[in-house]
Amino acid sequence: MKKLWPTLKKAWEFIILFHRGAFVDKRMAVVRKEAFDINDNLMLLLFGDFLGIPNPMSYYMLELLPYVADDMESWERRIQNRKFIIAEKAAQYDFD
Amino acid sequence: MRRFSFFGGKGGTGKTSCAAAYALSLSRRGVRTLVVSTDPAHSLSDAFGKQIGCEAVRLSDSLHGLEIDAAVEAKKYMELIQKKTLDLVSAAIVDEIKRQIEIAYMSPGAEEAAIFDKFVELMESAGTDYDAIVFDTAPTGHTLRLLTLPEILGVWIDQLIEKRKKAMHLMKMASRYDAYLADKIKEDPILETLTARKEKFEVARDFLTDASLTAFFFVMNAERLSILETARAVELLTKHGISIGGVVINKVIPQDAGAFFDKRRVSQEGCLADIRARFSQLKLVELPLLETDVQGLEQLDVMASTLSSLDETKD
């Protein structure tokens, strides 16, 4: 009886981890990816003029620059390297 | 008297002189007045015959003048951003960012936006230092864009806020099992900044569309082109909810102008009749063509006495 409690606890932890690995992480990765994709698109709306797309209020968007400065370079690389939108979208849904 | 008066119209009709004279007439009545030029090509200094800069200058008793310098305002704004960036990220990234700031500085609309910012700042400050602000605006097209800016950009910024909210919502979902992400989205400066900007537009819009605070006065000459443009502008401003305070018909040739002007006066009479018909619901004030250019306080005073009737309600 004394040994049963820790074993149960361990089993419960195992179940949680298994559940997370099998279901949650994968799904959350999709959500996370979607969130970052939307953010990348938002950045395109905010700072499109850096890529040559005119923006009616690029002047006002400058005040956001300090907060996204860290991510700026990688965003530019990401957005300029987009090749296949369909492949990108398909990668979100794993079919296994 | 409204707190904010705008003087606009076609180029060369005498906007600056009228704005200056009207401001003078207000100050003569003891109202603390600021006259501001938003035209990138300033001529307020010339009207008063005194150097006016981007800081308020005293022109006479309870009258101050100011010319908004877009370049100076934009520079101040950019320096503020650079400083903020330095506080948040490393110096290496700041160098990278500088390039982007330069691009935005050169982009079309930057000057306009800088003028608009200053303009909102002045409107917000009214009531403490000044009782009334008279704006001498740029020729019609530029001004209409400036005044309709808050409405147009308000819609755009709404979209951005919505998008950011959606991204944040998804991130929140994902961050339930992700401590790093949860920490990152605790507060969102981007959403805050966008919302603050949106509120600023709304304040400007509220000021501009409040008929008890703001009125737009058109200055025109008794000429066909001038009438047509004013008619269009009146229509557009009304559509955007900005109230029209009245129309000043400037440079009206007087009866005793002499033989040379007789022929012109005939066509002018036609134009005046047209103006009275078109703008019948608005307050009309006529100013005669003067013998010399208007410069200095004394000559402005002559115009001021006529222009003060703009404040009387139309009967």
Side-chain angles (χ1 to χ4, degrees):
Chain A
M1 193 66 191
K2 233 183 185 179
K3 259 185 126 184
L4 187 64
W5 190 240
T7 320
L8 266 178
K9 211 173 167 186
K10 198 138 200 162
W12 179 240
E13 268 169 24
F14 184 80
I15 289 169
I16 285 182
L17 281 179
F18 176 78
H19 168 259
R20 212 194 237 195
F23 307 109
V24 177
D25 274 2
K26 219 169 205 174
R27 300 293 155 249
M28 281 308 133
V30 174
V31 175
R32 202 188 146 110
K33 175 92 179 28
E34 181 72 23
F36 280 107
D37 274 357
I38 290 180
N39 245 339
D40 270 3
N41 292 343
L42 177 68
M43 288 278 280
L44 190 64
L45 292 179
L46 296 176
F47 302 110
D49 54 324
F50 297 163
L51 306 172
I53 305 164
N55 181 338
M57 49 194 298
S58 60
Y59 180 83
Y60 292 127
M61 294 301 97
L62 279 183
E63 54 195 21
L64 295 173
L65 210 48
Y67 308 113
V68 296
D70 265 332
D71 194 33
M72 205 72 210
E73 208 192 322
S74 56
W75 167 73
E76 259 181 78
R77 208 171 332 109
R78 274 201 303 280
I79 212 84
Q80 280 169 347
N81 269 339
R82 294 182 91 169
K83 288 192 182 84
F84 300 106
I85 301 272
I86 296 172
E88 241 174 64
K89 272 283 162 205
Q92 271 182 35
Y93 308 99
D94 47 353
F95 302 106
D96 48 51
Chain B
M1 180 204 87
R2 270 25 173 266
R3 193 184 289 173
F4 308 112
S5 317
F6 291 83
F7 279 81
K10 209 166 157 50
T13 48
K15 293 180 293 294
T16 305
S17 304
C18 286
Y22 181 67
L24 193 63
S25 84
L26 288 180
S27 76
R28 291 284 191 242
R29 278 183 267 160
V31 180
R32 291 173 303 160
T33 311
L34 178 70
V35 53
V36 180
S37 164
T38 62
D39 190 342
H42 295 297
S43 45
L44 205 58
S45 297
D46 306 327
F48 280 100
K50 194 171 180 180
Q51 194 55 44
I52 300 170
C54 53
E55 297 291 334
V57 172
R58 191 182 165 279
L59 295 167
S60 90
D61 293 330
S62 63
L63 177 64
H64 287 74
L66 188 153
E67 288 175 341
I68 298 178
D69 188 335
V72 171
E73 298 307 325
K75 208 161 186 173
K76 262 194 231 159
Y77 177 72
M78 289 195 316
E79 270 160 15
L80 204 74
I81 287 166
Q82 272 188 23
K83 228 183 110 216
K84 213 179 198 176
T85 317
L86 259 176
D87 291 344
L88 286 168
V89 295
S90 71
I93 291 175
V94 174
D95 268 350
E96 173 69 21
I97 291 303
K98 258 189 194 153
R99 182 180 63 94
Q100 259 112 19
I101 294 182
E102 296 287 309
I103 295 175
Y105 181 57
M106 304 303 283
S107 73
E111 204 166 84
E112 231 167 31
I115 292 179
F116 184 77
D117 266 7
K118 180 72 184 174
F119 167 97
V120 176
E121 190 193 314
L122 285 171
M123 286 181 110
E124 279 175 326
S125 77
T128 51
D129 295 341
Y130 305 104
D131 304 319
I133 301 184
V134 178
F135 290 97
D136 165 30
T137 67
T140 315
H142 185 264
T143 304
L144 290 184
R145 254 191 74 93
L146 205 64
L147 294 184
T148 52
L149 206 63
E151 194 178 351
I152 294 157
L153 294 190
V155 176
W156 162 270
I157 215 158
D158 274 343
Q159 304 270 338
L160 295 180
I161 289 176
E162 207 169 289
K163 199 141 190 128
R164 180 69 184 175
K165 272 193 182 148
K166 199 172 160 197
M168 294 307 278
H169 177 68
L170 283 172
M171 270 197 213
K172 222 168 250 167
M173 273 163 64
S175 70
R176 264 187 70 186
Y177 301 94
D178 191 335
Y180 163 76
L181 208 58
D183 193 47
K184 220 177 155 184
I185 63 168
K186 231 184 234 157
E187 53 194 45
D188 188 16
I190 295 184
L191 206 55
E192 264 168 43
T193 316
L194 285 174
T195 315
R197 182 47 75 183
K198 185 188 158 175
E199 273 160 16
K200 210 162 180 186
F201 284 142
E202 271 163 10
V203 167
R205 180 127 194 82
D206 287 347
F207 275 144
L208 288 174
T209 53
D210 188 340
S212 64
L213 285 178
T214 307
F216 202 100
F217 298 97
F218 280 99
V219 180
M220 63 199 267
N221 300 145
E223 283 163 6
R224 231 180 87 75
L225 292 181
S226 189
I227 295 170
L228 292 178
E229 190 180 283
T230 307
R232 266 199 305 273
V234 167
E235 198 181 314
L236 197 69
L237 282 187
T238 313
K239 202 180 102 194
H240 284 277
I242 298 169
S243 79
I244 317 286
V247 175
V248 180
I249 311 162
N250 197 12
K251 300 182 191 170
V252 177
I253 301 165
Q255 295 282 350
D256 51 357
F260 175 77
F261 281 115
D262 273 352
K263 225 177 183 170
R264 292 218 57 154
R265 264 206 19 243
V266 174
S267 74
Q268 179 183 280
E269 287 308 319
C271 284
L272 283 175
D274 187 19
I275 292 170
R276 287 188 195 111
R278 272 177 199 263
F279 306 108
S280 56
Q281 75 280 29
L282 296 173
K283 172 95 192 154
L284 297 175
V285 172
E286 282 179 35
L287 281 175
L289 181 69
L290 299 173
E291 286 171 339
T292 56
D293 286 348
V294 178
Q295 206 193 28
L297 285 176
E298 285 145 43
Q299 275 171 308
L300 285 173
D301 258 331
V302 178
M303 288 172 77
S305 53
T306 316
L307 276 178
S308 62
S309 67
L310 274 175
D311 285 334
E312 293 157 15
T313 45
K314 186 175 164 58
D315 29 54

